[in-house]
Amino acid sequence: MAENEIENLFPSPSAGDGDDDEDGETMTAAEVLAKLEEAWLNEKFSPDLLPAKENLVECMMAQIDAMENNIANAKKGDFRISVHRMEIDRIRYIVSSYLRHRLSKIETFTKHVLSKDAQTGESDEPLLSDAELQFAKGYEKSIDDYLDNQANKHMPARLTKLTDKDTSILPNLDSYVFFKVNESTENVLVEEETVDAGDEIMDLEKGDQHIMRYKVIAPLVESGTLSLI
């Protein structure tokens, strides 16, 4: 659906409506949806959990409610209603898929995620939403309790003293990902110096597409300089 058609599905943003970008400027509903789609694909293809985009999700859910109210007030028989409902279903799918990918990573890398979240500074984007943090802590406790009840109590004491580092499952940051360049970036360190060769550094031009190890470009994905595809 074209952007102008998407805009027609939403109430026109006024002061206090919509979402704000990092510079504090109000974003249109279509722009919020585009940002959420980008966050969804980044989360889908990233091996590690990315900072939560809770504000985008909340904004789109509020917009869905407004869209459904507009449809309810539309004239019966208007052929555009079915098209608009399809668009609502598409948005719901993006939101639910985005949250499912995040939940799957939280369940798989629970201790790693909680440790990483604890290291997040006050000025940084939160890694977990409040609901995700509560779920992760509860999930960690349930797994630890299960291991204690079903395994540890049957083992010698010296074998039950495991640290979080011993039991953590870590994402494979050396896995390769495809990405497109949103903003030109110079001097990206692709490979560090080795015995046989020096540092491998390259410039990324806007619009280019590459395949590279995730850990090399992870900060650029989080900053929005690159998008995973």
Side-chain angles (χ1 to χ4, degrees):
M1 184 174 289
E3 181 171 324
N4 60 335
E5 292 176 311
I6 294 175
E7 289 292 355
N8 290 335
L9 300 181
F10 294 87
S12 299
S14 57
D17 292 338
D19 190 53
D20 294 335
D21 63 13
E22 295 176 355
D23 298 324
E25 297 179 358
T26 300
M27 299 169 61
T28 66
E31 289 170 338
V32 174
L33 178 57
K35 286 284 187 181
L36 182 59
E37 287 180 323
E38 181 181 18
W40 166 50
L41 293 176
N42 284 342
E43 199 67 68
K44 181 178 181 179
F45 297 121
S46 166
D48 200 4
L49 188 71
L50 296 171
K53 301 296 183 182
E54 186 178 14
N55 58 332
L56 299 181
V57 173
E58 290 178 349
C59 181
M60 291 313 302
M61 295 306 296
Q63 293 288 5
I64 286 176
D65 290 340
M67 291 163 65
E68 290 183 328
N69 287 335
N70 289 344
I71 290 175
N73 295 326
K75 293 181 179 180
K76 292 184 179 180
D78 191 333
F79 75 94
R80 290 174 297 180
I81 291 178
S82 60
V83 177
H84 291 177
R85 288 198 180 282
M86 290 175 62
E87 184 64 12
I88 290 175
D89 289 342
R90 184 176 77 91
I91 296 172
R92 278 207 176 104
Y93 172 79
I94 292 172
V95 171
S96 61
S97 180
Y98 170 71
L99 296 177
R100 280 199 307 271
H101 283 298
R102 291 185 60 80
L103 186 61
S104 176
K105 291 179 184 179
I106 292 171
E107 291 178 338
T108 304
F109 310 121
T110 310
K111 293 186 182 297
H112 164 74
V113 166
L114 286 172
S115 175
K116 187 176 177 181
D117 180 73
Q119 298 170 13
T120 303
E122 293 183 2
S123 60
D124 299 328
E125 281 189 285
L127 180 66
L128 299 170
S129 67
D130 292 341
E132 288 172 338
L133 179 59
Q134 183 178 359
F135 170 80
K137 289 181 177 180
Y139 188 79
E140 179 188 43
K141 184 179 185 304
S142 66
I143 293 297
D144 289 343
D145 290 346
Y146 179 81
L147 289 176
D148 286 339
N149 295 330
Q150 300 299 321
N152 289 347
K153 69 179 183 181
H154 302 295
M155 299 170 64
R158 62 185 178 83
L159 298 179
T160 62
K161 296 179 180 179
L162 299 176
T163 65
D164 287 348
K165 184 177 180 180
D166 295 326
T167 57
S168 292
I169 300 175
L170 302 178
N172 181 14
L173 302 184
D174 282 319
S175 59
Y176 283 81
V177 294
F178 287 95
F179 64 89
K180 64 180 179 181
V181 183
N182 300 325
E183 301 175 15
S184 297
T185 306
E186 297 180 347
N187 301 323
V188 176
L189 179 61
V190 178
E191 292 286 350
E192 296 183 353
E193 183 178 1
T194 63
V195 175
D196 299 325
D199 292 339
E200 181 181 346
I201 297 175
M202 67 180 296
D203 297 335
L204 303 177
E205 299 293 334
K206 182 177 180 179
D208 287 352
Q209 297 184 7
H210 299 275
I211 180 173
M212 204 173 291
R213 286 183 304 154
Y214 178 74
K215 71 177 182 181
V216 173
I217 60 164
L220 299 178
V221 173
E222 292 190 16
S223 69
T225 303
L226 311 177
S227 295
L228 302 184
I229 55 177

